Amino acid sequence: MIAPPETSRVSQPRVACDGASDIPGGAALGHPRVFLEIDEKGYVDCGYCDRRFILIGGPADGVDQSTLPDISEGASH
């Protein structure tokens, strides 16, 4: 497996992703805003842009991200 293209460490299990939040004035460059829920695995991947959200202090925090499978939009695997 390869590491996700971008990772963000977050403090809440519910996150929103629009693919362009880090681009000033870039909302038109992103994707529709989706709300994602981090489950007991401690991370979730956006199904549009593949950004991985990792819950700070969760089981995936500090782990080599390339060893974890994709969890798109909170789906259970």
Side-chain angles (χ1 to χ4, degrees):
M1 286 187 230
I2 59 172
E6 288 185 61
T7 59
S8 297
R9 294 177 71 231
V10 296
S11 59
Q12 299 294 319
R14 185 167 170 83
V15 296
C17 184
D18 63 9
S21 57
D22 295 337
I23 303 170
L29 300 175
H31 58 69
R33 177 173 282 196
V34 292
F35 293 90
L36 309 169
E37 189 75 29
I38 297 173
D39 64 11
E40 69 278 352
K41 291 181 176 64
Y43 68 101
V44 68
D45 299 320
C46 175
Y48 283 100
C49 65
D50 292 333
R51 178 180 286 177
R52 178 166 288 174
F53 295 91
I54 304 163
L55 186 62
I56 295 171
D61 193 16
V63 174
D64 179 0
Q65 296 301 305
S66 66
T67 64
L68 301 174
D70 291 344
I71 299 181
S72 181
E73 300 181 352
S76 297
H77 290 272

